[in-house]
Amino acid sequence: MQSQFKVLTLSYKYAPIAVREAVSLNEIGCRNLLDKVREFTGANDVLVLSTCNRTEIYYSSDVDYSREIIKLLAIEKGFIATKTVQPYFKHITCHKEAVQHLFYVALGLESQVVGDMQIMNQVKYAYQWATDAGTAGPFLHRLMHTIFYSSKRVANETCFRNGAASVSYATVELVEDLTKAMENPRVLMIGMGEIGADVCDNFQKSAINNVVVVNRTHYKALDLVQKCNVKAAYWENVWDEIKLADVIFSSVPGDCFYISKHDFDKHAQEAPKFFIDLSMPRSISSDLQSLPGTRVYNIDNIRNRTTKALEKRLTAIPQVQQIVAEAVSEFETWMQEIGMSPAIQNFKNRLEEIRQQELNRYLKKLSAEEKELVEALTKNILNKIVKLPALELKAACQRGESDALLQSFSALFNLEKEVVKD
């Protein structure tokens, strides 16, 4: 029997940035949590997704493991008390709602900037980690590939992915607004992760062309120099570059690099500075705003900016929701068909028992050639008898009448009921 699919979610919709960064996980953290959930709970089909806007744990079980999972998350993050974060988690226990939620998240319907394409790559990484950890079963494999197919439909059939209304593009728009009174503003990009590379790419479409990138792994910065027409500086010179920059944005997690007010004072920063923090945990102290002429923006400040592309995406939402509804319906039909398999197999086993009993009564009187002929003939008859109810049960799944028909079928042939409930 397929367990109920659930999701434990904490996102920008319910939680402030301080809470989100307290539970955010990098790749190692996600992989570790997968191992912990597998070891200490009875959950199946576990998927851990953590971005700057959300931390979510999907799992299948008839048991509510929300408290256990939050405790395991707290252990992974190194804090004991869970009372401060637990109220911000939402637990979706309705199977169909949890399935639909994963569709909406993966396709960008739940993104802070609607239609953000970066989330699909993050979902794919989460799925790969679940596969590597052995927490993805047939249910999750089928669900994820259904989502990937739906994403292609959205790209091909709607304008939901048109334009560049992503977090990275919204960041570039913010920089343009902040520097519109400046002549040739200098922008410093610290960190070349996925979002940093996306921002860099979007600067190619901007009038701002004085962009410097700094990364711990210098060759990654050099790659962007070739691709995006920017300059690269060495990591050891990061504070020299901060002195020269008008706008600094960081996508380096705060547990790896942090700009504090003390650091800023130490390096005698006097010129007005704009800081944009896209990191999780944050890597730029909000205390910097107490300095004259200094402003700090974080991921929560990167709101949907009014663009034609975004307006088109908003108008395409009903189309995307319809694609999701069709995909969820098809997926639920598949689940029901899988649920029919035990009943069909039991039916086939009962018929095989009868066939063997009857053959044993008469085969002794037949020659070897006759035995082979009778064996083949009766097997063909059995398969054709099984095929008819199997087709009817599948048709009933599509009509939404599978439960009633399966009960009648099981009672008629005295079969053990093994049905997947959705």
Side-chain angles (χ1 to χ4, degrees):
M1 178 179 289
Q2 171 63 45
S3 302
Q4 292 290 306
F5 194 53
K6 301 174 177 64
V7 56
L8 191 62
T9 172
L10 181 149
S11 77
Y12 72 95
K13 289 187 175 182
Y14 320 110
I17 190 169
V19 174
R20 297 204 309 276
E21 69 181 359
V23 300
S24 68
L25 298 165
N26 57 19
E27 178 181 344
I28 294 175
C30 288
R31 289 181 181 271
N32 287 345
L33 185 57
L34 283 169
D35 291 337
K36 286 182 173 67
V37 174
R38 181 184 58 186
E39 183 176 356
F40 295 106
T41 75
N44 300 310
D45 294 303
V46 185
L47 180 82
V48 176
L49 174 66
S50 189
T51 72
C52 58
N53 281 332
R54 66 184 66 252
T55 294
E56 299 184 328
I57 301 91
Y58 297 83
Y59 68 99
S60 291
S61 176
D62 293 328
V63 179
D64 179 351
Y65 285 120
S66 57
R67 287 191 176 186
E68 289 83 352
I69 292 173
I70 292 175
K71 287 180 181 178
L72 293 173
L73 175 59
I75 292 171
E76 177 60 31
K77 289 295 293 182
F79 61 89
I80 300 175
T82 60
K83 293 181 179 179
T84 55
V85 299
Q86 189 164 345
Y88 295 99
F89 277 97
K90 180 181 178 182
H91 196 212
I92 302 175
T93 58
C94 173
H95 172 87
K96 192 169 184 178
E97 288 181 14
V99 169
Q100 178 178 280
H101 180 78
L102 183 51
F103 269 93
Y104 277 22
V105 168
L107 297 183
L109 286 168
E110 292 287 323
S111 296
Q112 194 169 33
V113 177
V114 67
D116 190 351
M117 289 180 285
Q118 184 184 2
I119 185 63
M120 178 54 74
N121 288 331
Q122 293 166 327
V123 169
K124 288 180 178 179
Y125 286 133
Y127 173 47
Q128 182 61 58
W129 301 336
T131 301
D132 294 343
T135 63
F139 168 85
L140 187 59
H141 284 304
R142 178 71 178 230
L143 176 58
M144 296 308 300
H145 285 283
T146 303
I147 289 172
F148 299 153
Y149 175 73
S150 300
S151 178
K152 291 179 181 179
R153 283 194 62 192
V154 168
N156 294 332
E157 300 175 21
T158 75
C159 58
F160 191 63
R161 297 280 172 79
N162 292 1
S166 63
V167 169
S168 55
Y169 185 72
T171 301
V172 172
E173 281 193 334
L174 175 60
V175 173
E176 289 174 337
D177 287 348
L178 295 175
T179 61
K180 57 187 176 184
M182 299 181 185
E183 182 178 351
N184 193 28
R186 187 180 179 95
V187 177
L188 174 64
M189 301 169 55
I190 304 174
M192 290 296 104
E194 186 174 355
I195 192 168
D198 285 346
V199 173
C200 190
D201 182 60
N202 276 295
F203 268 120
Q204 294 186 84
K205 307 160 192 173
S206 169
I208 296 174
N209 53 24
N210 189 5
V211 179
V212 180
V213 297
V214 176
N215 194 63
R216 285 184 183 274
T217 309
H218 191 61
Y219 77 85
K220 290 185 178 180
L222 294 178
D223 285 343
L224 286 179
V225 169
Q226 302 295 326
K227 296 176 183 177
C228 302
N229 192 30
V230 297
K231 304 170 187 174
Y234 287 100
W235 180 262
E236 52 266 33
N237 298 327
V238 64
W239 276 104
D240 292 333
E241 293 299 330
I242 289 176
K243 291 178 185 178
L244 298 172
D246 298 298
V247 180
I248 301 101
F249 85 81
S250 172
S251 60
V252 179
D255 50 6
C256 298
F257 175 73
Y258 194 78
I259 301 175
S260 66
K261 184 175 181 297
H262 172 75
D263 291 328
F264 198 83
D265 291 336
K266 179 180 178 182
H267 291 85
Q269 304 300 309
E270 297 179 357
K273 300 287 179 182
F274 295 109
F275 289 92
I276 302 174
D277 191 351
L278 301 180
S279 309
M280 186 61 65
R282 286 173 288 180
S283 58
I284 299 174
S285 174
S286 57
D287 291 344
L288 288 171
Q289 292 203 128
S290 64
L291 297 172
T294 302
R295 293 291 304 276
V296 179
Y297 300 85
N298 59 44
I299 194 70
D300 281 353
N301 302 126
I302 308 298
R303 302 296 183 184
N304 291 359
R305 305 183 68 83
T306 306
T307 63
K308 292 182 180 179
L310 182 56
E311 290 172 0
K312 287 181 180 180
R313 291 184 179 198
L314 294 174
T315 60
I317 286 177
Q319 291 175 277
V320 178
Q321 291 174 328
Q322 181 59 35
I323 289 174
V324 170
E326 293 171 5
V328 169
S329 178
E330 292 174 3
F331 180 72
E332 293 297 311
T333 298
W334 170 80
M335 279 191 60
Q336 291 173 346
E337 290 178 359
I338 292 298
M340 299 301 168
S341 298
I344 295 296
Q345 187 60 49
N346 286 347
F347 177 51
K348 186 174 182 179
N349 291 342
R350 291 296 302 276
L351 292 181
E352 179 63 20
E353 288 177 10
I354 296 171
R355 188 181 77 89
Q356 290 293 341
Q357 288 172 2
E358 293 304 306
L359 286 178
N360 290 338
R361 293 172 60 184
Y362 298 103
L363 284 181
K364 295 178 182 178
K365 303 175 183 180
L366 303 178
S367 66
E369 186 176 341
E370 289 173 330
K371 287 179 181 179
E372 186 177 344
L373 181 61
V374 171
E375 180 75 21
L377 176 64
T378 54
K379 274 191 176 181
N380 286 339
I381 293 173
L382 184 149
N383 289 333
K384 288 183 178 180
I385 291 173
V386 172
K387 186 176 181 179
L388 292 174
L391 291 174
E392 184 55 38
L393 283 171
K394 288 185 178 182
C397 288
Q398 296 176 348
R399 299 193 302 268
E401 303 169 356
S402 57
D403 286 351
L405 185 59
L406 185 58
Q407 288 175 5
S408 300
F409 179 73
S410 298
L412 180 62
F413 295 99
N414 194 26
L415 303 175
E416 179 183 350
K417 291 189 289 183
E418 298 182 27
V419 188
V420 173
K421 297 292 184 182
D422 61 358

